[in-house]
Amino acid sequence: MLLQRVRVDPAREGLSDVRVDGDRVTEISAPGERLSAAGEDVVDGAGGVLLPGFVDAHVHMAQWSMARSRIDVGDATSAVDVVDLLVASGERSAVRAHGYRAALWSTPPHKDMLEAALPGVHVAVTSMDLHSVWLSPSLMDALGVVHPTGYLRDHDAIAMLAVLDARVDDAEVDRQVLDGADELARRGITEILDFEYDDNWSSWARRAARRLPAVRVTASTWSTWLEHCVAAGRRTGEPVPDTAGTVRMGPLKIMADGSLNTRTACCHDPYPDDGAGGESHGLLLVDEPELVRLMTVAASGSIASAVHAIGDRANTVVLDAVAAVRARMRTGELPTVGARIEHAQQVRPADLARFAELGVVASVQPQHAMSDRDVVDVLWAGRASRAYPYRSLQRQGVTLQFGSDAPVSPPDPRAAVADAVHRTDDDRPPWEPDEALPLSAALRSACGGRDAVTVGSAADLTVLAQWPHLLSNADLRSVPVLATISGGRVTHLSA
Ligand SMILES: [Zn+2]
């Protein structure tokens, strides 16, 4: 394939042509010079700017794809507000809604509120962070769920999401997920790391048999399927058969703590008193010995680990566990595999350098910093630890990878880069501006660690209408994506 008329070097005038053979870039002309097509397909880059492909390193693909068709309650400011939105939607059969943020609400969600407004209706509402689910009494009856409030959190919520999803048949989920992947390509995304709570290897193999997804997929697994994965020899990085190299095995996902918005992120310092008592430091969902055990089982099968840790204490515990497992890798007792911490939203100064020392990737979501800034200022006020410490991590030499955690934030790397660089997504001044990243570092973090497209690069390419360094905060968020190429396939071309 020949990608014609793109800009490859901000320091030089003139358009280049780029030859792609299979999944590699094999030739790039000097600016102002052309390559002749040798019988291959020709794609017009329309004078756009060539970047390494955007990678969304943390998505929940089925959740996001299905949330696209659900009632959006993201603007609700109270539980009553959510109920009003559901009633106003006019939906009366099975109501599915998504997106509330209850952290600062005075009255928590309760099943009786749903029953009073929508008697007998099956209602399930998921929070923006997927760490809570709010169910109506009739849906609870239908599912055989017994719960005092119908407001399920953390492990209970994640298990409930799996139950709810199992009620949608595979063909429908696959259709929505593959359509969702098309939408990601339109946003310039070439690759995702999917953290759906699922046997993702099998689900993506099934989807790819229907139609190849428009993004390359790294498919994580969870402890539920870990022993099966190890026994089946599914090593991290291994291509899933019959997916044309589009789907690969990813890491084991482990949850170490809860979330900020449900006050269950596990912290060294207590949360401010919410009047309800209990859980004042948040929740540690696994202790260090169990973390070490899971990571060891994974490593024994050459499976990397990706551990969700939001609060600073959870981050400390995960780093301790990684250190213990790393020691056994160094002696050759275990295969050497990678480790990631998902979110790393609050990190003690003493732990920042340990990410680098232990080679732990910080998988971060800059859009969360913006949507959480007000909650952080209340729930994490006055702490020594740093919140969303991107610049501090980068200074230590830590590899940062950007993701959206979709559906928690919209999957859009342009917004992630703008948030990381400007630390504001509205007209307020930058929040904690000392942690803002330089643009080059933000782009690298959004492009899977790659700085520029060169001969030999993977043919994962995103063509934007303009160089990001010439754009304002607002314009960077909306810069048109002219073309997307994933694994050598054209997955998006603007008309
Ligand atoms: Zn997630």
Side-chain angles (χ1 to χ4, degrees):
M1 186 215 339
L2 195 62
L3 174 61
Q4 292 182 324
R5 304 201 305 129
V6 289
R7 287 176 276 171
V8 295
D9 182 350
R12 294 179 66 184
E13 290 290 325
L15 303 178
S16 297
D17 292 346
V18 175
R19 181 163 280 127
V20 168
D21 191 1
D23 63 359
R24 291 285 137 189
V25 171
T26 55
E27 199 175 358
I28 301 177
S29 72
E33 291 175 16
R34 311 298 303 273
L35 298 177
S36 54
E40 72 250 80
D41 293 340
V42 172
V43 174
D44 184 4
V49 165
L50 185 67
L51 296 180
F54 286 140
V55 177
D56 191 325
H58 189 131
V59 297
H60 300 262
M61 195 58 191
Q63 291 298 325
W64 174 70
S65 300
M66 292 193 287
R68 293 172 72 213
S69 61
R70 287 175 185 159
I71 300 165
D72 180 1
V73 293
D75 291 332
T77 55
S78 68
V80 172
D81 219 8
V82 171
V83 174
D84 289 346
L85 286 168
L86 301 183
V87 170
S89 75
E91 184 65 64
R92 293 294 180 271
S93 50
V95 175
R96 285 301 305 269
H98 171 79
Y100 65 84
R101 298 171 184 278
L104 303 180
W105 293 354
S106 52
T107 308
H110 195 285
K111 61 182 178 177
D112 293 348
M113 302 169 72
L114 296 173
E115 183 63 18
L118 296 162
V121 178
H122 288 192
V123 185
V125 194
T126 43
S127 61
M128 185 59 89
D129 63 6
L130 298 177
H131 278 259
S132 70
V133 186
W134 177 15
L135 303 174
S136 68
S138 62
L139 180 56
M140 292 168 67
D141 285 348
L143 297 172
V145 175
V146 177
H147 191 274
T149 65
Y151 179 46
L152 283 60
R153 300 200 288 169
D154 289 308
H155 269 171
D156 292 345
I158 289 170
M160 180 51 59
L161 289 176
V163 169
L164 292 169
D165 292 346
R167 290 158 63 89
V168 183
D169 71 54
D170 287 344
E172 177 59 17
V173 175
D174 291 353
R175 188 186 66 74
Q176 296 204 30
V177 167
L178 291 167
D179 287 353
D182 293 341
E183 174 59 23
L184 297 184
R186 288 192 281 276
R187 299 178 191 191
I189 296 170
T190 58
E191 182 178 354
I192 60 168
L193 208 170
D194 188 6
F195 284 113
E196 195 66 44
Y197 180 70
D198 191 8
D199 175 11
N200 287 306
W201 170 294
S202 304
S203 295
W204 279 104
R206 187 187 67 231
R207 286 169 199 149
R210 297 184 200 275
R211 169 161 80 88
L212 279 187
V215 290
R216 297 201 293 111
V217 178
T218 301
S220 73
T221 192
W222 292 70
S223 62
T224 313
W225 299 277
L226 176 59
E227 282 177 21
H228 175 66
C229 287
V230 170
R234 298 175 179 177
R235 295 186 295 265
T236 296
E238 184 98 357
V240 175
D242 304 320
T243 63
T246 303
V247 186
R248 286 175 186 277
M249 178 66 184
L252 167 69
K253 175 80 182 286
I254 306 169
M255 301 289 293
D257 69 346
S259 76
L260 169 64
N261 280 272
T262 47
R263 295 173 177 250
T264 50
C266 185
C267 304
H268 288 290
D269 299 302
Y271 285 91
D273 185 10
D274 67 351
E279 302 173 359
S280 63
H281 287 260
L283 279 179
L284 198 61
L285 300 174
V286 285
D287 60 14
E288 192 196 325
E290 176 62 2
L291 263 175
V292 170
R293 187 190 73 79
L294 287 167
M295 293 170 75
T296 301
V297 172
S300 72
S302 294
I303 297 172
S305 290
V307 189
H308 164 118
I310 288 183
D312 55 1
R313 177 150 179 261
N315 275 276
T316 301
V317 170
V318 175
L319 290 165
D320 290 347
V322 172
V325 178
R326 277 272 186 272
R328 295 180 60 191
M329 291 176 183
R330 271 195 291 274
T331 63
E333 196 187 332
L334 283 172
T336 298
V337 292
R340 308 159 52 90
I341 289 184
E342 303 302 320
H343 312 307
Q345 286 179 4
Q346 185 193 40
V347 183
R348 284 207 298 200
D351 282 336
L352 291 165
R354 298 175 74 207
F355 274 82
E357 286 159 21
L358 295 166
V360 174
V361 170
S363 167
V364 298
Q365 298 75 34
Q367 292 150 283
H368 291 9
M370 298 300 95
S371 54
D372 287 347
R373 61 187 280 181
D374 297 318
V375 177
V376 170
D377 286 343
V378 174
L379 296 185
W380 285 351
R383 312 225 168 171
S385 290
R386 313 223 60 153
Y388 307 83
Y390 306 151
R391 181 68 164 149
S392 298
L393 286 164
Q394 187 237 353
R395 279 212 184 92
Q396 297 285 347
V398 178
T399 298
L400 293 164
Q401 288 184 8
F402 286 175
S404 61
D405 203 6
V408 182
S409 298
D412 194 333
R414 294 167 298 181
V417 170
D419 288 338
V421 171
H422 297 285
R423 300 282 283 198
T424 183
D425 63 355
D426 51 30
D427 47 17
R428 290 185 287 175
W431 180 68
E432 306 281 349
D434 290 352
E435 294 296 346
L437 280 181
L439 178 63
S440 58
L443 282 170
R444 188 186 312 127
S445 305
C447 294
R450 295 171 300 154
D451 284 304
V453 178
T454 54
V455 172
S457 289
D460 293 338
L461 309 170
T462 301
V463 181
L464 298 182
Q466 185 54 278
W467 289 109
H469 67 271
L470 300 179
L471 298 170
S472 68
N473 186 356
D475 289 345
L476 178 52
R477 295 167 192 276
S478 58
V479 59
V481 178
L482 303 183
T484 309
I485 295 168
S486 173
R489 288 186 295 141
V490 179
T491 50
H492 162 67
L493 197 57
S494 69

